[in-house]
Amino acid sequence: MTLRLGSFVDALGGELHGDANLLIKGLAPLENAVPGQLSFLSQTRFLKQLAACQASCVIVSPQFAQQARARGACIITDQPYLYYARVTQLWKRNLPAVVRPLIHPSAVIDPQALLHPSARIGALCVIEAGAQVGAETELKSRVTLGERCVVGERCLIHPGVVIGADGFGFAPNAGAWEKIEQLGAVRIGNDVEIGANTCIDRGALQDTVIEDGVKLDNLIQIAHNVHIGRHTAMAGCAGVAGSATIGAHCTVGGSANVLGHLTLADGVNISAGSMVMRSITKPGHYTGIFPIDDNASWEKNAAALKQLANLRERLRALETQLKSGQNSN
């Protein structure tokens, strides 16, 4: 497939410097783009790659317009990364259409489930009684949608996702465990994307809620009764324990964890690998990671860290003694 360079600007805007009739055969990153491809520069740290880039055209911000024009054709826009995202959407819309049934014949759908006529259901999906799938939502292969769980409109659910499995609820009983039946469901809003093999548990009593525009990566665990606010994004292998509330427009880095019954305010950004052990009431960037080091140094630092509480008490005692001595003088 090829598209005229000018067609991108016609559809998406931006300021084109170069031949509008130049044919673009593909998209590629700066470091390995070849003639006939369209690339982009969104961060200063990649500026050194611009001069050597072989792409037929590069998308850049006004900040790098001079360097880009010296190299060759370019599209200047205030938000190159966002522009690139929309370029990928435009490219996909122009790919040859794949004819396939809206509902794959291998899908298992309960007669009491409610599917919008425009919903797409992939191979080997299971949709249980009372579940609902909204308009233009697509469930890729092997998605399980449990009883009474709801997925909104224009969502994309990737292979292997499980929505509505039982939450982890057990009561101790004489050295054994008594199951707490999970009586809630899962409610997912509109324009949500959920990555492969992510699991979202149904609520114990109330529903687990994923609001509009949330983006979840692969292999994420969302426990029962969690509430995730609109347009929050979470990277792969993150985990959220039961009854936690995460606000709107938050980000959670890969392999980060949020303990149960905590609240994160709107606009909180959690670094990858962090463990959130207390509620966060103010927006901002938070990190809780013990720095990596060679093992011998790490063990020494970890041993010293274990003594901090004792050292604090000793320091307080010394301060008290000093104050008493000063008062007696």
Side-chain angles (χ1 to χ4, degrees):
M1 185 185 80
T2 60
L3 292 176
R4 289 175 54 255
L5 181 58
S7 67
F8 294 100
V9 178
D10 292 342
L12 305 174
E15 180 184 340
L16 174 61
H17 294 270
D19 182 3
N21 291 317
L22 187 66
L23 293 180
I24 299 298
K25 302 175 183 178
L27 313 177
L30 282 174
E31 65 269 21
N32 54 22
V34 298
Q37 293 182 322
L38 176 62
S39 189
F40 71 98
L41 171 66
S42 62
Q43 298 183 42
T44 305
R45 62 192 174 115
F46 298 122
L47 182 59
K48 291 181 179 179
Q49 298 176 3
L50 179 61
C53 180
Q54 298 298 307
S56 291
C57 182
V58 178
I59 304 162
V60 298
S61 67
Q63 178 184 0
F64 304 125
Q66 183 176 351
Q67 297 95 319
R69 292 181 68 176
R71 189 207 67 91
C74 61
I75 297 172
I76 300 172
T77 178
D78 289 335
Q79 296 179 284
Y81 195 57
L82 177 60
Y83 195 97
Y84 159 73
R86 290 172 177 166
V87 163
T88 65
Q89 296 168 18
L90 178 63
W91 191 267
K92 185 173 182 178
R93 287 197 299 270
N94 282 275
L95 289 173
V98 178
V99 179
R100 61 178 184 233
L102 286 174
I103 299 176
H104 195 277
S106 66
V108 179
I109 301 172
D110 190 279
Q112 297 181 47
L114 182 61
L115 276 60
H116 191 276
S118 64
R120 287 189 173 276
I121 310 299
L124 303 174
C125 287
V126 176
I127 302 178
E128 298 182 351
Q132 299 180 37
V133 180
E136 300 180 47
T137 283
E138 181 173 5
L139 276 58
K140 298 286 189 178
S141 61
R142 296 179 290 102
V143 171
T144 298
L145 186 60
E147 293 181 358
R148 297 176 285 105
C149 295
V150 177
V151 180
E153 300 177 357
R154 300 176 302 280
C155 295
L156 179 57
I157 315 298
H158 288 280
V161 169
V162 177
I163 299 170
D166 275 2
F168 192 67
F170 298 90
N173 178 17
W177 297 100
E178 194 84 18
K179 182 174 177 60
I180 300 171
E181 294 296 342
Q182 305 294 288
L183 305 178
V186 177
R187 288 187 290 117
I188 295 174
N190 301 327
D191 303 301
V192 171
E193 183 163 346
I194 301 173
N197 294 322
T198 283
C199 295
I200 303 175
D201 292 344
R202 66 175 59 249
L205 295 175
Q206 297 178 323
D207 294 342
T208 302
V209 177
I210 311 294
E211 292 190 8
D212 294 351
V214 168
K215 311 300 180 188
L216 302 179
D217 198 358
N218 303 334
L219 296 167
I220 289 175
Q221 163 66 18
I222 305 296
H224 57 189
N225 298 107
V226 167
H227 191 123
I228 300 179
R230 64 192 186 281
H231 303 297
T232 281
M234 301 178 64
C237 298
V240 184
S243 300
T245 298
I246 298 177
H249 302 283
C250 294
T251 60
V252 178
S255 297
N257 293 286
V258 180
L259 297 188
H261 300 274
L262 301 183
T263 297
L264 273 59
D266 294 350
V268 167
N269 303 306
I270 303 298
S271 293
S274 294
M275 173 70 76
V276 181
M277 303 181 69
R278 60 176 176 83
S279 292
I280 299 174
T281 59
K282 296 180 181 180
H285 190 176
Y286 295 82
T287 303
I289 305 169
F290 197 74
I292 194 168
D293 205 341
D294 67 87
N295 190 68
S297 297
W298 188 93
E299 287 182 346
K300 291 177 182 178
N301 290 332
L305 187 65
K306 292 173 66 175
Q307 300 300 318
L308 283 181
N310 182 47
L311 290 171
R312 181 180 61 181
E313 296 304 318
R314 291 169 60 186
L315 180 59
R316 285 178 175 173
L318 287 171
E319 289 175 339
T320 301
Q321 291 177 12
L322 286 172
K323 289 179 180 178
S324 297
Q326 289 172 356
N327 292 335
S328 61
N329 291 333

